[in-house]
Amino acid sequence: MDIKVNKRQSQLLNDTIEQWQQQQLIDNQQAQQLRQSYHVISFDWKLLAVYSFWVAIACFILSVILLVADDYLISLLSRLINTPASVLTILSTIIAGLLFYFGVKRRQRYPEKTVSNEAMFFFGVLITAVASGFLSHTAMAQNWRESLFILLPTITYLIIGIQLRSVLVWLFALLGVGLWVLTETSYLAQNHYLFWGMNIPLRFIFVGILIVGLSAIFKPHSRFYFAKEATQFVGLMYFFNALWMLTIFGNYDSLSAWSHVKQIELWGWSVAMVFLTLSAILYGIKNNNPLVRAFGIIFLLLCLYSRYFEFFWGTLHKALFFAILALSFWWIGSRAEKLWHLGNKN
């Protein structure tokens, strides 16, 4: 069996085989056979493919956002092609359906081309959003809430993501859920900052908890299990980002009210964030969950450095400030290096 590896992976394999030889777990002949079982690729074409598709997708996202967000551009486009918005909605819906259809056919024919297959599904996601944008300009939808034009494609993504077992489509569905909650609660709050006494970050605390809870019920033999890690990732992203914003802005209803508050008055949110991030780290270690552990570590550091900037930026000399910052990162790097070496010895 000939395995293709990059230079970094090759170095790791060589070091591992050499260590096994030194510990006399394998003899020289076995070591030679292991070294011949893989070869180093000179260029990581798969990585280039991933980056290329993401760049293409990012460009299309920007293009569509600029198109859909610009009412004048939408109406101008309609006039140029002399087609009613209702017809454009139907046409774009059909195109989106065809993209998903051909994406499924392509995945069946080339199952190994996972990156380009998911990219094909993405274009279906994109055109579905375009169809919703055209729908908002039809006569029958003039009095509809803005949040409905987010809810419709979100439900579509949820259904298609489950049926096609596509992690990418499912991710867009979860992002759509967050955008719908933001739009709908803002509408119900009549454009005030607070909804049921909660500002936007505090609302997303509960959104994050619900999505993380949803991921917990995806069991190995469930048809939803393919989306478990992606669901957990989005839920943790919502939760910890919202919690971090609460440590900065608190649960205030306006920027003017927040501007008169001293950061020391928000210490309760910082204590809660330190406790929750430490709990996430311990949970990740105990249950061998690197995703939860990584979120805990990243946001613990983010919380500590945010407080550091808030309380010491104005009081310390800038040279001393950055010197302390440099030493702290050096200490973190040294500890990480030490733990890495300990892991290699085990």
Side-chain angles (χ1 to χ4, degrees):
M1 182 178 179
D2 192 14
I3 303 173
K4 297 178 181 179
V5 297
N6 58 36
K7 291 181 180 179
R8 189 174 182 180
Q9 293 169 331
S10 173
Q11 184 63 45
L12 176 62
L13 289 172
N14 286 333
D15 292 342
T16 303
I17 294 170
E18 185 176 349
Q19 188 175 10
W20 287 346
Q21 278 185 282
Q22 293 174 356
Q23 296 174 351
Q24 297 183 346
L25 297 175
I26 57 175
D27 56 32
N28 293 335
Q29 184 178 359
Q30 289 173 321
Q32 186 63 23
Q33 289 175 343
L34 288 172
R35 290 191 179 96
Q36 291 175 352
S37 65
Y38 61 88
H39 74 272
V40 182
I41 54 176
S42 58
F43 189 80
D44 195 342
W45 292 104
K46 182 179 180 180
L47 190 60
L48 177 62
V50 171
Y51 287 157
S52 298
F53 280 119
W54 277 114
V55 170
I57 285 171
C59 292
F60 275 108
I61 288 176
L62 183 60
S63 175
V64 172
I65 287 175
L66 293 174
L67 177 66
V68 173
D70 195 328
D71 292 339
Y72 173 75
L73 203 56
I74 289 282
S75 59
L76 177 62
L77 183 61
S78 299
R79 288 198 299 271
L80 286 174
I81 60 178
N82 197 25
T83 306
S86 56
V87 177
L88 291 175
T89 302
I90 295 171
L91 287 175
S92 53
T93 301
I94 293 172
I95 293 171
L98 289 172
L99 285 168
F100 285 120
Y101 174 78
F102 286 118
V104 172
K105 290 296 183 181
R106 192 178 192 281
R107 185 169 66 178
Q108 291 173 349
R109 187 174 182 182
Y110 307 107
E112 73 282 359
K113 296 183 178 181
T114 54
V115 178
S116 55
N117 290 339
E118 288 293 296
M120 181 68 76
F121 290 146
F122 168 78
F123 293 121
V125 168
L126 195 66
I127 302 302
T128 302
V130 172
S132 182
F134 282 129
L135 178 63
S136 67
H137 289 79
T138 59
M140 71 173 185
Q142 290 299 313
N143 297 321
W144 292 7
R145 291 185 191 177
E146 184 181 350
S147 59
L148 284 175
F149 303 111
I150 299 171
L151 182 61
L152 288 174
T154 298
I155 293 174
T156 304
Y157 300 154
L158 286 170
I159 296 171
I160 293 175
I162 293 169
Q163 291 298 321
L164 302 185
R165 301 179 66 83
S166 171
V167 174
L168 184 140
V169 178
W170 181 262
L171 279 172
F172 275 96
L174 295 179
L175 294 175
V177 167
L179 187 58
W180 175 78
V181 169
L182 174 62
T183 309
E184 180 69 10
T185 55
S186 297
Y187 171 83
L188 294 175
Q190 298 180 349
N191 293 322
H192 292 298
Y193 284 96
L194 295 183
F195 172 74
W196 288 356
M198 299 180 292
N199 64 4
I200 291 173
L202 188 54
R203 292 175 225 168
F204 273 84
I205 287 286
F206 294 99
V207 174
I209 291 172
L210 288 173
I211 293 177
V212 171
L214 180 66
S215 71
I217 66 175
F218 293 166
K219 302 303 180 183
H221 298 293
S222 167
R223 66 179 302 179
F224 302 102
Y225 188 70
F226 76 96
K228 181 179 180 67
E229 188 173 0
T231 306
Q232 190 176 66
F233 173 83
V234 174
L236 290 170
M237 181 183 68
Y238 280 147
F239 178 81
F240 280 112
N241 272 295
L243 185 59
W244 176 60
M245 291 182 69
L246 283 170
T247 66
I248 299 173
F249 299 107
N251 187 33
Y252 287 92
D253 60 349
S254 68
L255 290 175
S256 59
W258 170 75
S259 63
H260 294 91
V261 175
K262 295 181 179 179
Q263 285 301 121
I264 193 68
E265 297 178 32
L266 302 176
W267 66 271
W269 292 112
S270 298
V271 171
M273 185 168 185
V274 170
F275 172 77
L276 289 170
T277 50
L278 288 174
S279 299
I281 294 169
L282 292 174
Y283 176 87
I285 293 172
K286 184 178 180 180
N287 295 277
N288 193 26
N289 190 322
L291 183 62
V292 176
R293 185 174 68 239
F295 266 97
I297 293 171
I298 291 169
F299 279 91
L300 175 61
L301 292 174
L302 191 59
C303 178
L304 294 176
Y305 278 110
S306 297
R307 305 294 77 77
Y308 181 62
F309 272 92
E310 286 171 357
F311 297 126
F312 298 109
W313 176 257
T315 56
L316 286 177
H317 190 280
K318 299 302 179 286
L320 180 59
F321 177 89
F322 283 106
I324 294 173
L325 205 62
L327 288 172
S328 66
F329 275 109
W330 183 276
W331 181 82
I332 291 171
S334 300
R335 294 294 300 172
E337 184 181 35
K338 183 177 180 180
L339 290 172
W340 179 73
H341 282 300
L342 285 174
N344 282 346
K345 291 178 181 179
N346 294 332

